[in-house]
Amino acid sequence: MTRKPILLAPLAALALGSAAPSQTPDILSPLFAADQGDARAAILVEDGRVIAKRYAPGYSDANRFISWSTAKTMTAMLVGELVSDGKLELDAPAPIAEWHQPGDPRAQITLRQLLNMASGLRHSEVGEPIEKSDTNQVLFVSGTATMAARAINVPLEAAPGAKFEYSSLTTIILAEIVTRTLTPSRDPRVRAAAYRDFAFERLYRPAGATGAFLEFDGAGTQIGGSLIHLHLNDFAALGQVLLDGRGVGGEQVVAPDWLAFMKTPSPKKAVYGGQTWLNAFPDEAVGQPPIASMNGHLGQYVVTFRARGRDGQEHGYVLVRLGNSREDRLHDVKVAVGKVVKAVTG
């Protein structure tokens, strides 16, 4: 079914270069403090309305920002669309033909286990030296032409479902599953076009994130674990989808049951659901409402939660923080995110 493209206020109504409304002038200031490293942009949305927005000098609505691993949650949303369409099954063996050969134990890997980062596939996300890590090798060194093939063609290191192993390559496999479900073509251009059209028809356009720019590898596989580029408002619009499954214009984008799955703790990692982080700000968010978030390398956070605001009424919130903060500063960044959450909820 083709969905009508719609113009989505209030987020989309915020014209490029215009000043954002603000609940209080300094509510986002903890995110730009001296200990935050390279904070670049932040936005706070309450019930679909932008109430505070701020850029560091040199950045504006004209900029796109790299998603890093916030893309994983977006990829999961697209997988959910195909599950809703009846073209994929959550608890069926993952439709990767290379695994379904006689005697291959990888045939037992389910779609759910991939989404929960519990496939059992051997992987090193961040190792020593860091340039030799599996993810860096595939994304930036020797695997750029055929990322999915490299991700698929590794053995098990554990039984499927037995352990949590965070893996950007697992999400590339999920993007490959989406592509293979959409088209049998092996032509990289055809494959990329099929994925891009589906992603915009079913997620980005109805969400109001029409500025999204997707990267693909040489085989036409979307690099769904880390390489999508979006405007600040686009991140906020997708946060709204993570919050309640709807675009900012009210259209249902992600089915309620799929959203519930994404926010259900996985059996092997309580702070992780279906390509989504859950309450991943433990030191800073004690006593705060349940948080579902898209978290990315170098301090990209799209934080969503429901809570009583200062007016005593319950509201839905989306808080986005984008930047380029070193690993040793991320604790302070998370502390600052917690400060904003506390300020919002009084």
Side-chain angles (χ1 to χ4, degrees):
M1 179 179 69
T2 301
R3 301 186 183 188
K4 295 180 180 179
I6 52 178
L7 294 177
L8 297 171
L11 285 178
L14 211 71
L16 294 182
S18 66
S22 179
Q23 183 188 46
T24 59
D26 61 350
I27 195 167
L28 296 176
S29 62
L31 302 177
F32 293 86
D35 64 353
Q36 293 300 292
D38 188 0
R40 296 178 174 179
I43 190 170
L44 178 63
V45 179
E46 180 185 74
D47 296 335
R49 294 176 56 85
V50 178
I51 59 173
K53 185 176 183 181
R54 179 172 170 178
Y55 288 105
Y59 297 95
S60 71
D61 282 336
N63 292 101
R64 285 190 178 96
F65 300 85
I66 190 168
S67 66
W68 291 120
S69 289
T70 64
K72 291 177 170 65
T73 310
M74 304 172 206
T75 301
M77 291 174 179
L78 292 175
V79 172
E81 292 298 287
L82 292 173
V83 172
S84 295
D85 290 348
K87 295 180 179 179
L88 292 174
E89 296 182 33
L90 185 57
D91 289 307
I96 297 294
E98 294 90 328
W99 295 344
H100 292 273
Q101 305 301 318
D104 192 332
R106 297 175 301 176
Q108 301 174 29
I109 300 171
T110 66
L111 188 63
R112 183 190 297 270
Q113 289 163 347
L114 288 169
L115 288 156
N116 285 162
M117 295 293 191
S119 68
L121 294 170
R122 186 183 67 197
H123 181 71
S124 171
E125 183 74 8
V126 179
E128 292 292 341
I130 194 168
E131 64 270 15
K132 294 290 182 70
S133 302
D134 294 333
T135 295
N136 286 332
Q137 281 291 309
V138 170
L139 291 184
F140 307 117
V141 186
S142 60
T144 57
T146 54
M147 294 185 187
R150 285 283 294 271
I152 289 167
N153 190 32
V154 296
L156 292 176
E157 64 178 6
K163 62 177 275 191
F164 176 87
E165 180 76 59
Y166 186 84
S167 167
S168 293
L169 302 191
T170 289
T171 315
I172 291 176
I173 294 173
L174 290 169
E176 177 70 5
I177 289 172
V178 171
T179 304
R180 293 184 184 186
T181 304
L182 295 173
T183 177
S185 177
R186 295 189 177 183
D187 185 318
R189 292 181 178 85
V190 172
R191 285 162 47 85
Y195 191 104
R196 186 185 297 110
D197 290 349
F198 178 76
F200 272 86
E201 177 188 346
R202 300 295 290 272
L203 177 58
Y204 295 110
R205 191 177 296 117
T210 55
F213 180 86
L214 283 62
E215 286 197 50
F216 296 82
D217 73 355
T221 302
Q222 207 281 306
I223 309 170
S226 52
L227 295 180
I228 300 173
H229 305 265
L230 309 100
H231 298 293
L232 178 59
N233 283 6
D234 297 329
F235 281 101
L238 291 163
Q240 190 69 33
V241 175
L242 180 60
L243 177 69
D244 60 15
R246 297 182 181 275
V248 290
E251 179 177 356
Q252 191 73 45
V253 178
V254 174
D257 58 345
W258 188 257
L259 194 63
F261 158 70
M262 290 175 63
K263 296 181 181 181
T264 299
S266 64
K268 298 300 177 181
K269 190 77 169 179
V271 295
Y272 203 79
Q275 302 284 294
T276 304
W277 289 96
L278 308 172
N279 304 312
F281 302 85
D283 296 333
E284 297 71 39
V286 173
Q288 293 302 310
I291 290 174
S293 60
M294 313 180 196
N295 295 3
H297 182 51
L298 301 176
Q300 321 314 313
Y301 298 117
V302 182
V303 176
T304 72
F305 59 96
R306 290 192 174 278
R308 291 190 181 277
R310 290 179 173 272
D311 61 1
Q313 303 299 311
E314 182 173 286
H315 301 282
Y317 293 97
V318 178
L319 171 63
V320 181
R321 185 275 186 191
L322 305 174
N324 188 42
S325 301
R326 299 191 317 251
E327 186 72 26
D328 62 354
R329 291 196 171 186
L330 292 184
H331 176 78
D332 292 332
V333 173
K334 289 185 175 183
V335 169
V337 169
K339 287 180 179 178
V340 176
V341 171
K342 291 174 184 177
V344 166
T345 60

